[in-house]
Amino acid sequence: MSTDRLGQLAEAGVSIWLDDLSRERLQSGNLQELITQRHVVGVTTNPTIFAAALAEGEAYDEQVRELAARGASVPDAVREITVGDVQQACDVFSGTWETTGGVDGRVSLEVDPGLARDTEGTIAQALDLWKAVDRPNLLVKIPATEPGLPAITRALAEGVSVNVTLIFSVERYREVMGAFLDGLEQAEANGHALAGIASVASFFVSRVDTEIDKRLEKIGTDEALALRGKAGVANSRLAYAAFQEVFSSDRWQALAAKGGRPQRPLWASTGVKNPEYPDTLYVTELVVADTVNTMPEKTMMAFADHGEVHGDRVTGIAAEAQEVFDGLERVGVDLRDVFLVLEDEGVDKFEKSWTELGDTVQSQLDLARPDGSS
């Protein structure tokens, strides 16, 4: 009898979320199957995922024809398509949301990445998406850019559950947690029930190794090369130590006493990009309770096949993780620049995917119009 490796991961306190969503998954029953058989308890989406889903297969054809027939604009069509998928996914996860008391069963939908540097625009769209989806298990994704921080606070203050995305540095993560605490305090002052507000903080992993490894290889010394593939996990372990510190503070305890739920760390970008590294690296090495690991299906199936749970791999080893970062600075890696580059690239990548999504919708609307007009 095969070992249920994903079951062991879930038992260790890691919530398994799928980093993918498509109408085909929804209509075929594949998403429900992953919930039933693979312990999946949530889904994350982003513009890249939606662009890929829409470009493949025929699942969206009927809706696109209907949108074309009534002359829908591209922005309106994108909104209806993405909101519709997320609503369906929220409904599929409604049982999980209920049985976990609202901890899991969550589905994320991102604000337009073009608003990443626009605080007021982000706030307006976050509130609009929350109302449009109209599901209690939605998480609105807001990027952790500097202009995004006050938007996170404002959205939470209005009772909106938030997935904070594109976090790369522990310094920025601390600011995110501060924005979260501010938001809950304001939500409570605004009369919102804190127990109804959820949040996760998406801390990116593999992209950190990709950028730092490139710099280590350019430096080229034995000491530098020995540090390859270590920064992503070390960075996440330092983030978890910060999480433990903040969520044991008196300030947090006061919010918890009023029903507040902690903002769980979510390990994102956990698909391994360097084929020389174990394909389950960012799952096995980041096992710790009260976290989420959102995985591409390929990574999930790899772990189901040969992943290993060795117990808690995070708590109490912040000093060891710090040694990795001390070593990186010693060999000449400019960590501040690394994190600036990663944030800019992350926003740029999602903006390009959003444009691609719009272009795909435009071409499909054009094809669906009876006269073929654009």
Side-chain angles (χ1 to χ4, degrees):
M1 188 169 65
S2 63
T3 301
D4 184 0
R5 301 174 190 276
L6 290 169
Q8 293 176 357
L9 186 64
E11 288 173 5
V14 178
S15 290
I16 301 167
W17 291 8
L18 175 69
D19 191 24
D20 189 46
L21 181 64
S22 68
R23 187 148 314 165
E24 184 178 355
R25 283 194 190 277
L26 290 161
Q27 293 179 344
S28 67
N30 170 262
L31 183 59
Q32 183 60 57
E33 183 179 300
L34 292 173
I35 294 169
T36 304
Q37 300 182 11
R38 300 295 185 180
H39 306 277
V40 171
V41 293
V43 158
T44 49
T45 69
N46 60 48
T48 304
I49 287 169
F50 277 121
L54 199 65
E56 299 172 3
E58 302 174 352
Y60 296 91
D61 288 359
E62 182 179 348
Q63 185 178 15
V64 169
R65 284 193 294 269
E66 188 273 328
L67 288 163
R70 58 183 166 89
S73 67
V74 170
D76 286 347
V78 168
R79 177 189 170 89
E80 288 195 36
I81 288 167
T82 55
V83 166
D85 278 6
V86 168
Q87 286 176 321
Q88 289 183 56
C90 283
D91 292 343
V92 171
F93 277 107
S94 62
T96 304
W97 178 76
E98 290 172 3
T99 58
T100 62
V103 173
D104 285 309
R106 296 282 173 175
V107 183
S108 297
L109 177 60
E110 189 151 1
V111 298
D112 180 343
L115 299 171
R117 313 293 183 189
D118 179 353
T119 300
E120 294 303 320
T122 296
I123 294 165
Q125 192 170 97
L127 295 174
D128 187 47
L129 288 174
W130 182 252
K131 291 175 184 175
V133 174
D134 193 25
R135 298 294 189 277
N137 49 335
L138 173 70
L139 292 173
V140 177
K141 290 180 80 172
I142 298 175
T145 56
E146 284 191 14
L149 294 171
I152 292 161
T153 295
R154 288 271 297 280
L156 290 162
E158 296 299 326
V160 175
S161 293
V162 175
N163 175 344
V164 183
T165 189
L166 291 178
I167 308 172
F168 295 99
S169 71
V170 176
E171 179 182 9
R172 180 56 54 82
Y173 178 44
R174 286 186 176 276
E175 293 176 328
V176 166
M177 289 188 285
F180 169 74
L181 296 177
D182 289 345
L184 282 199
E185 287 167 348
Q186 292 178 27
E188 199 263 337
N190 290 340
H192 293 287
L194 298 190
I197 302 172
S199 185
V200 293
S202 296
F203 202 81
F204 280 52
V205 189
S206 66
R207 292 193 201 180
V208 173
D209 274 338
T210 299
E211 179 64 26
I212 288 180
D213 283 2
K214 180 172 64 178
R215 298 180 185 220
L216 291 171
E217 287 163 7
K218 187 175 181 179
I219 293 167
T221 63
D222 289 345
E223 184 181 6
L225 296 175
L227 289 166
R228 287 178 298 179
K230 295 182 178 180
V233 169
N235 197 37
S236 302
R237 288 169 172 167
L238 290 170
Y240 191 80
F243 161 76
Q244 289 183 302
E245 176 190 326
V246 170
F247 288 94
S248 61
S249 67
D250 290 343
R251 185 183 181 191
W252 169 248
Q253 294 302 328
L255 287 165
K258 297 173 182 175
R261 301 167 180 264
Q263 181 188 56
R264 289 184 296 169
L266 179 153
W267 310 131
S269 181
T270 56
V272 173
K273 294 178 173 58
N274 187 335
E276 295 180 9
Y277 299 157
D279 55 3
T280 60
L281 174 67
Y282 303 122
V283 182
T284 298
E285 295 303 320
L286 294 175
V287 173
V288 61
D290 301 318
T291 58
V292 177
N293 194 308
T294 180
M295 312 174 202
E297 188 174 22
K298 181 179 178 181
T299 301
M300 186 181 297
M301 294 311 174
F303 196 89
D305 179 66
H306 53 266
E308 297 180 348
V309 176
H310 300 294
D312 186 341
R313 305 285 284 181
V314 178
T315 305
I317 52 175
E320 179 183 321
Q322 185 59 49
E323 288 177 6
V324 172
F325 273 77
D326 291 344
L328 291 169
E329 291 186 332
R330 191 164 55 246
V331 300
V333 174
D334 183 344
L335 293 169
R336 187 172 185 82
D337 184 66
V338 164
F339 295 130
L340 286 171
V341 166
L342 286 170
E343 181 177 296
D344 288 343
E345 285 184 349
V347 171
D348 184 57
K349 178 181 178 182
F350 282 168
E351 284 182 344
K352 287 179 179 177
S353 295
W354 193 259
T355 300
E356 179 187 341
L357 176 58
D359 291 345
T360 301
V361 169
Q362 179 72 74
S363 64
Q364 294 195 1
L365 287 171
D366 292 346
L367 288 171
R369 289 190 176 104
D371 60 357
S373 62
S374 58

